Amino acid sequence: MSEAVDNVVRFESTDESSWLTPMRCRLLLAGFVILSFGLNLVYLQHCPIDLAGDEAQYWDWSRHLDWSYYSKGPAIAYIIRASCAMFGDTAAAVRYPAVALTSGTTIVTYLFTRKLFGSDRLALGASLLLNALPIFVVGGFYMTIDAPMFFCWALATYFAAIAIFDDRQWSWVFVGFLIGLGFLAKYSELLWFIGLFGFLLTQRPRQLRGAAIALLIAVLCTFPVIVWNVQHGWVSLRHVARQTGASEGVFSLWDMVVFIGGQLAVVGPTMWIMMIAAIVYALRSRADEQNSNHSQLAFLLWIGLPFLALNFLDSFRAKVQLNWPAPAYFTLTILTAYFLGTRWRDYQQWKPNRGWFWITIAVAVIFTPIARDTSIIYPLLRPVAAFTKRDLGELDLLQRVRGWHQLGRNVSDQLLEMGPGTFILCDDYQQTAEMAFYVDGHLKTYCAGPYFGKRWSQYDMWQDRRLDAQSPLLSMNAIYIGKGDRLPPAVEASFERVEKQPSLDIEVAGAKIRSFKTWRCFGFKGMQRSNEPADY
């Protein structure tokens, strides 16, 4: 019998939920995965929100498959292209992989938890608890780099547990390959090794050799990204350094406060309370010889806590996005499930606090439909908007993913009126990607932002998108999608004349959510910019 199973016979035999046999737990998991997978597919077929800017950008990348891209590795583009090749270039097809990867992560959570603790009941609880996190709920249908990165992180951790606790050296090969594959989706995947080596140095030094082999395999997987960056002046390195504050970062206490508040929101306040209690419990278990699972708990801590701590420290120098720490919650959620299981079973004083758990589940049940369509809470938001004297759209957290298909329809009609030879010019890379997806014919679109100080993007890497004096677009007409009521001076100066068009107001459930601004521009003269970008 493996070490993990040896350690948890006591857990199974004393669990008060005796009706949850291993077979019933597996059937419940299968039912949950099938149900959630099916509901997500139905939702995507009747989705009330459009692709997010990043989703549209990754789709546009997938039309130009390459070794790597400006800000990310190539994995996301290849995954989306595979899905669209099978199901067509539709918003649902872009998002299908996210649904599949989320279901896969749920299954891996079950297998990994059972591997560590030998308990199907605990594995079922951990899987359901992970699906209660708001950040996981949202990630269940948005196809961003986080879905493949999280899945690879989880599966690599599972194979690492096989290598460590079952002493299966072959498993290190899969660990290295999965982390390398995750790196091709999101560069921070390599930070997983910090937790692994921390655990092995303190708990299992004899297994460092296997971990080193895994690291070598993962590093070899970075080859496509390195080759591409050598050819493009290491723009990815510069971009990541700028985004993380490694270059030009400035100490900011406020960004740290925002980071903490954001994590409370995406994990849930009650879940955070239970998670902190679980972390403290695990730290104390190191000195508890009666806890035969102390090594497993240490493993969960080491894989999750250093990554979360790194994001916290980074928040002092840069604006850390809400999703950046997400992989840390994989093992920390399992740790929380273990804590709830043992405390719930063994201590009478925990019984009055079971409400924290049920509140967490209730929040997830309530949050899930809202995350998919916030218009269902407009009746609650309208009094708030009136009291604060703000537009309802400003309170809609899904505002940024609404109205793009209407704008695409509007621009398509304008293109027909202006005639052949008219191109689409946008203010930033997300607008550029959205128009590439939603305008009829999935046309090639162009990004003007970096020519007047906005950050660069993949559009600046493609030579056929240049807007300078060598651009093939000279003397042509354009439709410009901008922000604000006036054209940027650099854009206005690049055309012979411009005509502002009526605003396109987007309404949802009778409420104005946002307004798009377009201009018809005639006689493109080209744009100028410095050799170096203002912002990577």
Side-chain angles (χ1 to χ4, degrees), residues 2 8 20 58 92 98 131 205 211 224 256 308 321 345 399 428 451 465 472 483 486-487 496 509:
S2 71
V8 293
L20 277 176
Y58 302 146
N131 279 272
M256 182 273 292
L308 182 61
Q321 301 299 321
R345 185 187 74 248
Q399 180 196 55
D428 61 28
Y451 287 83
R465 308 301 176 96
K483 295 179 178 178
R486 298 191 61 182
L487 274 177
E496 297 291 345

Side-chain angles (χ1 to χ4, degrees), residues 256-297:
M256 182 273 292
V257 173
V258 171
F259 168 77
I260 294 176
Q263 295 311 298
L264 285 172
V266 300
V267 175
T270 56
M271 183 64 181
W272 255 115
I273 292 172
M274 295 187 295
M275 191 173 288
I276 291 173
I279 292 172
V280 173
Y281 173 79
L283 290 172
R284 289 179 174 177
S285 75
R286 293 181 303 174
D288 183 5
E289 296 181 357
Q290 299 300 316
N291 192 334
S292 57
N293 293 314
H294 63 87
S295 187
Q296 285 86 346
L297 298 181

